[in-house]
Amino acid sequence: MRRDQPRDRELGARLRAVRVEQAKLSLEAAAKLIGWSAAKLSRTENGRRMVTTEDVAVVLTTYKVPAAQREQMISDAQIGQQDGWWSRTIPGISPDLGTLAGYEQQAKALTDCSLLVVPGLLHTYAYAIGMLRAGGLSDTDAELRWMARLRRQQVLPGVEYRAFIGEAALHTPFGGAEALAEQLRALVSGYDRGLSIRLIPEHIPMHGLLHSWLLIESPISAPVLNVELIGSAVFVFDVEPYLQLLDMVDDCALSTSASRDKIVATMQGS
């Protein structure tokens, strides 16, 4: 089965917006004009099939979109077809990780929720390697995962990023005590980079936080949620339950200033 791609979801969402807001056509009427089945157009708009530049050109021509807008969308589709590191098969790296990186590249906002560990987008080298080795990976595979994680972290300066981290993560020394200390220092420096890092107090029962997850919001397509598993990942497209949970987390988490003070106090052994 073909794996859904972030690029196709975004292009599909944009084509749907043009159909509804500009062409003002129903799905069935539009499909008939294009010469496609309604099912094919639906899959295209929902990112369930590869959207080619030819598809974009045919659909927009049928919708009588102005030439400048049509050429811009075709150009965007061509750029999206160019390979990034996340679109290539890398030995030792799950294809799910490439899909995740693709979604992150197109995001306007990212929200991490993690009770027991520091989220990967905030990892330092020693902490990440220690955690990966603790998960049973060989030194070689751990290094490969770290390189992919480091590349993923490059999105942070350009997106709105929030992290909700359980207090327990501040006391779990993956890679040893010095690795944890370095990781905590990196969290503190994250505030200076404009990152929102907030702590979830211990002993707060929340069923939806039994696992870590990352909410990815795009300026064009619907949000998607990633749940990282051992050796793979799950992408959730019905994110409404998690949005409700996020409101609860936001209410109970410490403020950014109180969280920073707590991390500093932990570093100092208080």
Side-chain angles (χ1 to χ4, degrees), residues 65-99:
V65 169
Q69 181 185 0
R70 183 176 67 248
E71 294 306 315
Q72 181 61 59
M73 287 188 65
I74 292 172
S75 176
D76 291 345
Q78 290 171 333
I79 292 172
Q81 284 182 324
Q82 295 174 3
D83 286 343
W85 72 266
W86 55 86
S87 65
R88 298 190 292 271
T89 300
I90 302 175
I93 301 298
S94 166
D96 292 313
L97 185 57
T99 301

Side-chain angles (χ1 to χ4, degrees), residues 13-36:
R14 292 174 67 180
L15 291 175
R16 182 183 186 280
V18 171
R19 172 177 64 80
V20 173
E21 298 171 13
Q22 293 181 235
K24 300 188 183 305
L25 292 168
S26 68
L27 180 74
E28 292 75 14
K32 185 174 181 180
L33 285 174
I34 298 168
W36 291 357

Side-chain angles (χ1 to χ4, degrees), residues 70-214:
R70 183 176 67 248
E71 294 306 315
Q72 181 61 59
M73 287 188 65
I74 292 172
S75 176
D76 291 345
Q78 290 171 333
I79 292 172
Q81 284 182 324
Q82 295 174 3
D83 286 343
W85 72 266
W86 55 86
S87 65
R88 298 190 292 271
T89 300
I90 302 175
I93 301 298
S94 166
D96 292 313
L97 185 57
T99 301
L100 172 60
Y103 278 123
E104 290 170 339
Q105 288 290 323
Q106 296 180 355
K108 68 173 182 180
L110 300 169
T111 302
D112 260 316
C113 281
S114 180
L115 276 186
L116 301 177
V117 299
V118 174
L121 288 174
L122 299 175
H123 278 181
T124 55
Y125 172 76
Y127 181 92
I129 293 296
M131 193 178 79
L132 293 168
R133 286 174 176 166
L137 291 185
S138 67
D139 290 350
T140 299
D141 286 344
E143 290 287 345
L144 286 171
R145 291 282 187 92
W146 164 249
M147 290 304 300
R149 192 160 297 176
L150 188 61
R151 290 178 178 180
R152 286 178 54 215
Q153 291 178 359
Q154 294 173 6
V155 305
L156 287 186
V159 300
E160 177 186 340
Y161 179 77
R162 295 186 297 169
F164 293 94
I165 306 173
E167 281 191 45
L170 306 184
H171 305 285
T172 306
F174 287 111
E178 180 51 40
L180 178 61
E182 179 188 34
Q183 179 65 74
L184 296 183
R185 289 193 294 270
L187 291 181
V188 173
S189 70
Y191 293 101
D192 298 329
R193 294 189 288 137
L195 304 180
S196 174
I197 301 171
R198 297 173 62 191
L199 296 179
I200 303 170
E202 292 183 285
H203 312 305
I204 292 183
M206 283 195 179
H207 180 270
L209 288 180
L210 294 179
H211 54 259
S212 300
W213 43 269
L214 172 65

